[in-house]
């Protein structure tokens, strides 16, 4: 498989880092010039004024946060994981078995963490509102940012796992049990499902400009992945993220944009929920059903003659 990697010229990595810096500067400029405070405040207000009773929504959020935290505990207790990674120096694929914090280098684990941070922060905000106390502005920003990032990354992760990673894994004749462990299910399936339920019962007032947070999250993850490969673990969790690959600058930017695109899809679904909750619930149910997979396909057995 290593020979399939199309590496560019020696300066390709520099081009990738330059593109990363350029996008970061442009994003910082956009954040500085756009006044996102009103949109953030309006979205945060909709989180504590949901369609369903706030007490019931708070209970749901605590349950969702509990599922996420249990997945983190599971990641530490289940033992070594399984990762097919690209070694930075050798430029070869290798099968590693990370333990503990080493498991949190994947994009899926960041999806899980953003999901937990949203449900925890929104639970605290709901609790403060129910007790008659004011929700601090920093908490409003936190929950809105985490909701946007969690939606974009969760729906993107579920889609890639269902339609790209799992088909390749099933064809490789490798043991697939590890990909259906509880914490994997939480990262790849339940995160998107829980957020879809949240959209239906809350009907949040979202704004397309908030997708900028998704682009920022993508850039932060890519920077982390590069630092980890060069100065940390010495490998890339995903082979396509190697900055030395021929089309790495475009791949890097594509990842950030993809998170924003999937958030935009959730935003459009939320507009349907606001207009008609049943139609919106149906759209989200259909979408989620197309991107989650909780078990491997049944193996076809050849009938005896």
């Amino acid at each position: 498989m290593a020979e399939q990697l199309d590496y560019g010229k020696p300066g390709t990595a520099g081009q990738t880092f330059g593109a990363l810096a350029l996008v970061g500067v442009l994003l910082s400029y956009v954040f500085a010039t756009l006044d996102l405070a009103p949109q953030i405040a309006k979205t945060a207000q909709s989180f504590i004024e949901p369609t369903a009773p706030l007490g019931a929504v708070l209970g749901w959020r605590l349950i969702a946060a509990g599922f996420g935290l249990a997945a983190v505990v599971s990641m530490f207790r289940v033992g070594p994981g399984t990762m097919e990674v690209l070694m930075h120096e050798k430029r070869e694929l290798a099968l590693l078995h990370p333990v503990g914090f080493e498991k949190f280098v994947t994009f899926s684990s960041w999806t899980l963490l953003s999901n937990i941070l949203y449900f925890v922060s929104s639970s605290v905000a709901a609790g403060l509102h129910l007790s008659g106390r004011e929700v601090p502005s920093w908490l409003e920003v936190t929950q809105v940012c985490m909701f946007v990032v969690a939606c974009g990354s969760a729906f993107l992760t579920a889609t890639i796992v269902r339609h790209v990673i799992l088909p390749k894994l099933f064809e490789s004749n490798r043991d697939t049990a590890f990909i259906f462990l509880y914490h994997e299910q939480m990262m790849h399936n339940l995160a998107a499902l829980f957020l879809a339920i949240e959209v239906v019962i809350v009907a949040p007032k979202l704004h397309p400009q908030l997708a900028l947070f998704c682009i920022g999250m993508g850039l932060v993850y890519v920077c982390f992945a590069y630092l980890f490969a060069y100065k940390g673990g010495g490998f890339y969790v995903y082979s396509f993220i190697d900055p030395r690959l021929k089309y790495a600058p475009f791949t890097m930017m594509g990842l950030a944009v993809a998170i924003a695109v999937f958030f935009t899809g959730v935003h459009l679904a939320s507009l349907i929920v606001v207009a008609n909750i049943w139609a919106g619930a149906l759209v989200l149910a259909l979408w989620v059903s197309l991107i989650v997979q909780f078990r491997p396909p049944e193996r076809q057995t050849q009938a005896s003659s």
Side-chain angles (χ1 to χ4, degrees):
M1 295 180 66
E3 63 272 9
Q4 298 177 358
L5 298 175
D6 188 7
Y7 281 93
K9 299 178 180 180
T12 303
Q15 295 173 6
T16 302
F17 299 144
L20 181 66
L22 177 60
V23 175
V25 170
L26 291 175
L27 185 63
S28 300
Y29 174 77
V30 172
F31 271 120
T33 55
L34 282 181
D35 184 14
L36 294 178
Q39 288 90 338
I40 292 175
K42 188 176 296 184
T43 300
Q45 189 65 26
S46 68
F47 287 155
I48 57 175
E49 295 179 353
T51 302
L54 183 56
V57 172
L58 174 57
W60 153 250
R61 288 172 176 169
L62 291 173
I63 292 173
F67 269 83
L69 292 171
V72 172
V73 174
S74 173
M75 292 175 70
F76 283 95
R77 297 184 61 182
V78 75
T82 302
M83 288 183 190
E84 186 177 50
V85 304
L86 175 64
M87 304 306 296
H88 175 71
E89 292 293 339
K90 296 182 178 180
R91 301 190 181 189
E92 295 178 354
L93 295 174
L95 196 63
L96 299 184
H97 301 284
V99 295
F101 286 104
E102 293 177 350
K103 297 181 179 181
F104 289 89
V105 301
T106 65
F107 185 79
S108 297
S109 65
W110 284 41
T111 296
L112 171 62
L113 294 176
S114 62
N115 191 277
I116 294 172
L117 288 172
Y118 166 69
F119 281 110
V120 169
S121 61
S122 61
S123 296
V124 173
L128 290 174
H129 185 72
L130 285 172
S131 64
R133 300 172 63 181
E134 183 179 358
V135 179
S137 59
W138 66 265
L139 184 56
E140 291 184 340
V141 174
T142 299
Q143 62 177 332
V144 171
C145 180
M146 287 300 101
F147 179 80
V148 172
V149 166
C151 284
S153 58
F155 278 79
L156 173 62
T157 297
T159 301
I160 292 177
V161 171
R162 166 74 182 273
H163 296 287
V164 179
I165 295 178
L166 289 182
K168 290 183 178 180
L169 189 60
F170 296 146
E171 294 173 0
S172 67
N173 294 323
R174 287 169 50 196
D175 179 21
T176 61
F178 73 92
I179 203 71
F180 295 102
L181 296 173
Y182 170 68
H183 62 276
E184 300 281 356
Q185 298 275 23
M186 185 65 211
M187 291 187 287
H188 302 154
N189 298 315
L190 294 177
L193 175 60
F194 287 177
L195 289 165
I197 294 173
E198 179 79 359
V199 171
V200 172
I201 64 177
V202 174
K205 294 180 174 61
L206 304 175
H207 303 273
Q209 297 95 324
L210 297 177
L212 292 170
F213 287 118
C214 295
I215 297 177
M217 185 267 192
L219 295 182
V220 170
Y221 178 76
V222 169
C223 288
F224 164 78
Y226 291 164
L227 286 173
F228 183 81
Y230 278 82
K231 301 295 184 181
F235 63 84
Y236 304 96
V237 180
Y238 311 103
S239 59
F240 63 82
I241 210 169
D242 188 336
R244 300 165 298 180
L245 292 173
K246 188 174 182 180
Y247 300 106
F250 303 102
T251 303
M252 176 273 296
M253 291 185 286
L255 173 62
V257 172
I259 305 171
V261 168
F262 276 85
F263 164 72
T264 302
V266 175
H267 171 229
L268 294 175
S270 72
L271 295 178
I272 301 176
V273 171
V274 172
N276 186 302
I277 188 172
W278 298 110
L282 178 60
V283 167
L284 283 166
L286 289 174
W287 187 4
V288 170
S289 70
L290 292 173
I291 62 175
V292 300
Q293 184 169 340
F294 290 96
R295 63 185 65 181
E298 296 183 2
R299 294 185 180 275
Q300 298 293 330
T301 56
Q302 186 176 0
S304 59
S305 58

